């Protein structure tokens, strides 16, 4: 049996991808998730996953946090990012941050199956037109990604609120937690990102934005 996790917040896309892949793999079992929290729980529950097909834009998975988190926490399961954000810069970072392949959402079903089989064989896969255009990802960006991987999903949410310029009271209201908990998360964020204040934390977050 082959088992894939399709992690995408659009049910119609999950269903379409499931329908496209089912005839191309014998005895295929598919697991679905629509948020980063659901994705992590699905991976923890399904220890026999062969591949994770991961969208970049699920709730909780803004910017590159999702791919950073999943590849760091589950290094033995290959991740193929399936996304509509397919600029050279984005694809280069996705691969530098641990993905084994990048499959644009416009890719034909047969090519998607070929990509998956290539990744399952232990290789990386990119669309042919992208292979020669990858750009170098700086060492400091990879170091930042490593630090970002240490943030819990809740801490990442707090960081995104800091990036939006919200006060502790506003963050507490939005996330339905106490101000004391917000302060504890912020202290943990500073420590894990190796920064001393909100401005430095926001600059870190901005370096991880999709662009």
């Amino acid at each position: 049996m082959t088992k894939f996790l399709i992690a995408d917040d659009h049910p119609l896309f999950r269903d379409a991808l499931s329908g496209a892949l089912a005839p191309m793999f014998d005895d295929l079992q598919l697991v679905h998730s629509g948020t980063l929290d659901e994705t992590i729980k699905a991976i923890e529950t399904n220890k026999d996953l062969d591949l994770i097909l991961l969208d970049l834009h699920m709730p909780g998975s803004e910017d590159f946090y999702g791919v950073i988190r999943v590849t760091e926490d589950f290094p033995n399961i290959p991740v193929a990012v399936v996304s509509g954000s397919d600029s050279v810069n984005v694809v280069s970072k996705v691969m530098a941050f641990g993905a084994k392949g990048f499959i644009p959402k416009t890719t034909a079903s047969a090519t998607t199956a070929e990509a998956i089989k290539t990744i399952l064989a232990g290789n990386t896969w990119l669309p042919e037109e992208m292979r020669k255009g990858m750009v170098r990802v700086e060492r400091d960006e990879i170091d930042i990604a490593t630090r970002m991987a240490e943030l819990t999903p809740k801490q990442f949410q707090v960081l995104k609120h800091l990036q939006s310029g919200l006060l502790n009271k506003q963050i507490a209201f939005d996330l339905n937690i106490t101000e004391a908990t917000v302060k504890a998360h912020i202290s943990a964020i500073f420590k894990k990102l190796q920064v001393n204040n909100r401005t430095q934390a926001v600059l870190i977050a901005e370096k991880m934005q999709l662009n």
Side-chain angles (χ1 to χ4, degrees):
M1 183 184 72
T2 304
K3 184 186 284 190
F4 301 157
L5 168 62
I6 300 177
D8 191 289
D9 62 330
H10 292 96
L12 284 176
F13 178 78
R14 295 199 304 265
D15 290 346
L17 185 56
S18 297
L21 294 179
M24 300 185 181
F25 294 88
D26 294 332
D27 197 18
L28 177 63
Q29 182 177 350
L30 294 167
V31 180
H32 290 186
S33 63
T35 68
L36 182 59
D37 283 344
E38 290 177 5
T39 298
I40 292 173
K41 290 177 182 176
I43 300 169
E44 291 173 341
T45 302
N46 296 273
K47 303 292 186 181
D48 55 345
L49 284 173
D50 295 292
L51 178 71
I52 300 165
L53 296 161
L54 181 70
D55 184 35
L56 290 176
H57 295 285
M58 293 183 300
S61 183
E62 293 85 356
D63 300 333
F64 296 97
Y65 179 69
V67 66
I68 291 168
R69 185 73 208 231
V70 171
T71 56
E72 180 73 18
D73 287 359
F74 308 98
N76 295 324
I77 307 174
V79 173
V81 169
V82 183
S83 178
S85 299
D86 57 359
S87 72
V88 168
N89 191 42
V90 167
V91 177
S92 298
K93 288 183 179 180
V94 161
M95 300 301 287
F97 296 158
K100 299 301 181 184
F102 187 97
I103 305 171
K105 284 192 171 181
T106 55
T107 304
S109 298
T111 305
T112 297
E114 172 194 331
I116 290 172
K117 290 173 182 177
T118 298
I119 294 168
L120 291 176
N123 302 306
T124 59
W125 189 91
L126 291 171
E128 187 173 351
E129 65 273 16
M130 292 183 179
R131 292 172 194 167
K132 295 181 180 179
M134 293 294 96
V135 297
R136 183 174 180 270
V137 178
E138 298 298 327
R139 180 71 246 176
D140 69 321
E141 290 185 276
I142 296 174
D143 290 340
I144 289 171
T146 300
R147 282 181 263 160
M148 289 281 284
E150 296 183 20
L151 299 180
T152 66
K154 185 65 73 175
Q155 288 165 0
F156 180 73
Q157 289 181 345
V158 171
L159 176 61
K160 294 300 291 182
H161 280 68
L162 291 179
Q163 191 177 357
S164 298
L166 299 186
L167 302 174
N168 288 1
K169 183 176 182 179
Q170 295 170 308
I171 297 172
F173 178 80
D174 281 359
L175 299 181
N176 195 29
I177 56 180
T178 66
E179 285 190 61
T181 301
V182 172
K183 290 178 181 178
H185 282 319
I186 291 173
S187 294
I189 290 167
F190 289 176
K191 182 177 181 180
K192 291 178 179 180
L193 295 185
Q194 300 173 24
V195 298
N196 299 313
N197 54 53
R198 289 178 180 236
T199 300
Q200 292 174 341
V202 167
L203 288 173
I204 291 281
E206 289 177 348
K207 286 191 175 184
M208 289 293 104
Q209 286 183 312
L210 287 168
N211 53 54

